[in-house]
Amino acid sequence: MKQLLSKLEEHSWGMSDVFGIHLAAEEAIVNAIKHGNAYNPEKNVQIEMNVGADRVSLRITDEGPGFNPVEVPDPTEEENLENESGRGVMLIKAYMTDVRYNDRGNSVFMEKVRTQ
C-alpha cells in the first residue's frame, strides 16, 4: 500500500482521488484475504498496479473459488443495512471509474481516471 501511495504522490494526484483509490485498493485486498482466500496463510493475493499521471489501474487476484458480484446484496437497501458484507464492493464501484471482475470472480480490475 505504501508503494501505491508513494506513486500517487509522485504524480501529484489530488487528495480526494488518493483517498478513493486507497480505500478501493484496501477493500479489494481485504476481500481477497477474507472472502477469497478465507484467511488461509498458504494462499497468496497478487497485486498488480500501474500508476500514471492521469490514470491508475489495479488488479487484485486471490486463489479462492471466486464469486458473482451481481449476487452481492445492495448494502444500502433497508433489509441489508445490518449485514456486514457488500459494502466493500459498493465502495470500490463508488470510488473507481471502471471496475470489472473476471469470469471466475477471483480477480478484480479497477481503474481510476484523474478527476483533479
Side-chain angles (χ1 to χ4, degrees), residues 33 37-45 63:
I33 293 167
N37 289 348
Y39 295 111
N40 184 338
E42 303 291 315
K43 293 185 177 181
N44 295 304
V45 174
E63 295 183 34

Side-chain angles (χ1 to χ4, degrees), residues 2 8 11 13-14 23-24 30 38-39 44 53 57 59-60 64 71 79 82 85 94 98 104 107 110:
K2 286 182 184 179
L8 291 168
H11 288 287
W13 279 73
L23 181 64
V30 167
Y39 295 111
N44 295 304
S57 62
R59 183 178 309 278
I60 314 295
E71 295 176 0
E79 65 271 14
E82 301 291 322
S85 63
D98 183 29
R104 182 171 149 189
S107 183
M110 52 187 146

Side-chain angles (χ1 to χ4, degrees), residues 44-60:
N44 295 304
V45 174
Q46 183 178 2
I47 303 168
E48 302 169 49
M49 71 173 182
N50 186 358
V51 180
D54 297 317
R55 186 178 307 268
V56 172
S57 62
L58 300 163
R59 183 178 309 278
I60 314 295

